[in-house]
Amino acid sequence: MSAQRHRPTLRAARLTPRDILHTGSAGMRSRPMRVVLSALGIALGIATMISVVGISASSKEKLLQELDKLGTNMLVVTPGEDLLTGKKIPLAKDSVGRISRIDGVEHVGGTGLLEHAVRRSEKISEDITGGITVQTATEDLLTTLRGKVRTGTWLNRATGRYPSVVLGDVAAERLGISQPGQRVYIDGQYFTVLGILDELPLVPEIARSALVGWDAGKSLLGFDGHPTTMYERSADSRVGAVHDLIARTVDPQSPRNVNVTDPSAGLQAKAATEGAFSNLLLGLGGVALLVGGVGVANTMIISVLERRYEIGLRRSIGATRGQIRGQFVTESLLLSGLGGVAGIVLGAAATGVYAASSGLPWVVPPWAIGGGFGATLVIGTVAGLYPAVRASRLSPTLALHAA
């Protein structure tokens, strides 16, 4: 009785986290090529997912930057059409002034389309227009559009009375004008180029126009004073209210004869739906990730079969089943984690190359990186569970005998 009472009890060996990492990485260190090939599937899956999300996020960020720069508080007013004849119904001559008196309106600018062609000289045929229109413009147009003059100056009260013109960036390129001071030919007379505008993504019609002063259009080009397009900026909180009032203000008797549109709506919709097509590519990345997980599971099963002697030896000297399971799950996690880190780097690099080549900001959402790496850990755990359980159930005696 006394001998049994003092018999020492056996305790399972304890492994520190460092020991677990050491034993878990032993198989990886002994077979580096297999590690690379097994991690490649995980890496390709994560790289696909990261790059798809990153490219989509970069494109959306570019759109949001344009919207932030151009603003979403601009409305465009154009004439409506007669229901019977289909002809445009002219806007009132004082439409710009009427809109400016609406509460919340900050800036209003107008243009008037002219039936003239602009050419570099009189020697060029009138039929060759280059897709460039001639329009009159009010002094506040550039401020309303939040545009900038790339080179030269904008029309003012003085220059707007004389034969001077400001060209949109596309119009200047098609006419071969690069500097102010050069001249263009409009309706039998030369106009001096005062300036060239910068890009205006929300109003491409201005980019393709030659703009003359409102007064010069009347006195020199036969402009009748009826604006064909008006641009309005209001306080952000008043956009909806102003939108509802413009038509009734411009034409109180027949508001339906006035069209009011939001040019930023297209960009807003595109930004909202950006990445919808990416769901398909994300699905393909997920399939690649699953295939990579199957590859990891296969590698771990083969590793268990090849290392039966090691498993039997460790079990015979006191390693528990839980420690054996921990060893192989750790190895699977390290294998998947290595592939995940490589995939994140590859995906971020692919996004950076695409962004640089397309002129986009480089954006890789943190949630994509965290989610991608988390997915690799889940895949690694699932892929390593069966091989780990199988390894822990090996009999030490049979394992050593089989070896």
Side-chain angles (χ1 to χ4, degrees), residues 158-223:
T159 57
R161 299 178 180 178
Y162 297 99
S164 55
V165 63
V166 174
L167 301 176
D169 60 303
V170 176
E173 181 181 356
R174 293 177 181 177
L175 288 169
I177 303 294
S178 58
Q179 295 293 333
Q182 296 177 279
R183 299 193 304 169
V184 293
Y185 193 73
I186 304 175
D187 192 33
Q189 56 188 315
Y190 279 97
F191 283 65
T192 302
V193 176
L194 295 179
I196 299 173
L197 299 179
D198 228 335
E199 294 182 4
L200 291 168
L202 280 185
V203 282
E205 65 275 11
I206 299 298
R208 298 188 297 268
S209 295
L211 304 169
V212 300
W214 201 264
D215 293 334
K218 292 178 179 179
S219 60
L220 301 175
L221 299 175
F223 177 48

Side-chain angles (χ1 to χ4, degrees), residues 309-331:
Y309 179 79
E310 174 193 335
I311 296 170
L313 183 60
R314 290 196 61 209
R315 290 281 284 124
S316 65
I317 60 176
T320 64
R321 289 184 175 183
Q323 291 170 349
I324 297 297
R325 287 194 296 269
Q327 172 187 346
F328 284 94
V329 170
T330 299
E331 182 174 340

Side-chain angles (χ1 to χ4, degrees), residues 125-136:
S125 172
E126 294 183 359
D127 298 330
I128 303 176
T129 64
I132 305 171
T133 57
V134 180
Q135 301 194 74
T136 59

Side-chain angles (χ1 to χ4, degrees), residues 11-17 19-20 318-320 323:
R11 294 182 179 179
R14 293 184 178 181
L15 297 180
T16 64
D19 295 330
I20 295 175
T320 64
Q323 291 170 349

Side-chain angles (χ1 to χ4, degrees), residues 55-185:
I55 291 172
S56 177
S58 299
S59 300
K60 185 174 181 178
E61 181 64 23
K62 177 68 173 179
L63 289 173
L64 292 176
Q65 286 180 3
E66 290 184 0
L67 282 172
D68 185 62
K69 178 175 67 175
L70 300 172
T72 58
N73 59 343
M74 186 175 76
L75 299 174
V76 178
V77 184
T78 55
E81 294 182 354
D82 187 280
L83 296 178
L84 297 177
T85 64
K87 294 182 179 180
K88 295 288 186 181
I89 300 175
L91 299 173
K93 292 183 178 182
D94 61 342
S95 295
V96 172
R98 294 183 185 185
I99 294 176
S100 65
R101 290 190 288 270
I102 298 176
D103 183 31
V105 172
E106 296 176 346
H107 301 286
V108 184
T111 60
L113 183 63
L114 300 174
E115 299 296 330
H116 299 298
V118 55
R119 295 170 287 163
R120 188 65 188 270
S121 72
E122 74 275 13
K123 299 184 181 299
I124 298 176
S125 172
E126 294 183 359
D127 298 330
I128 303 176
T129 64
I132 305 171
T133 57
V134 180
Q135 301 194 74
T136 59
T138 61
E139 297 173 26
D140 290 337
L141 178 64
L142 192 64
T143 302
T144 304
L145 299 179
R146 293 183 182 174
K148 294 181 180 179
V149 179
R150 179 183 298 172
T151 179
T153 60
W154 175 246
L155 298 164
N156 56 39
R157 183 172 298 179
T159 57
R161 299 178 180 178
Y162 297 99
S164 55
V165 63
V166 174
L167 301 176
D169 60 303
V170 176
E173 181 181 356
R174 293 177 181 177
L175 288 169
I177 303 294
S178 58
Q179 295 293 333
Q182 296 177 279
R183 299 193 304 169
V184 293
Y185 193 73

Side-chain angles (χ1 to χ4, degrees), residues 229-299:
T229 306
M230 292 180 291
Y231 305 89
E232 176 274 335
R233 290 276 184 187
S234 56
D236 291 332
S237 60
R238 295 284 300 170
V239 174
V242 171
H243 183 283
D244 295 336
L245 291 173
I246 284 180
R248 286 177 285 173
T249 302
V250 173
D251 193 342
Q253 295 181 343
S254 302
R256 60 182 178 81
N257 293 334
V258 180
N259 294 327
V260 183
T261 58
D262 180 359
S264 68
L267 284 178
Q268 293 183 65
K270 187 175 181 181
T273 58
E274 186 67 41
F277 180 72
S278 301
N279 291 336
L280 175 60
L281 297 178
L282 281 176
L284 294 177
V287 171
L289 188 59
L290 290 177
V291 172
V294 172
V296 170
N298 184 56
T299 298

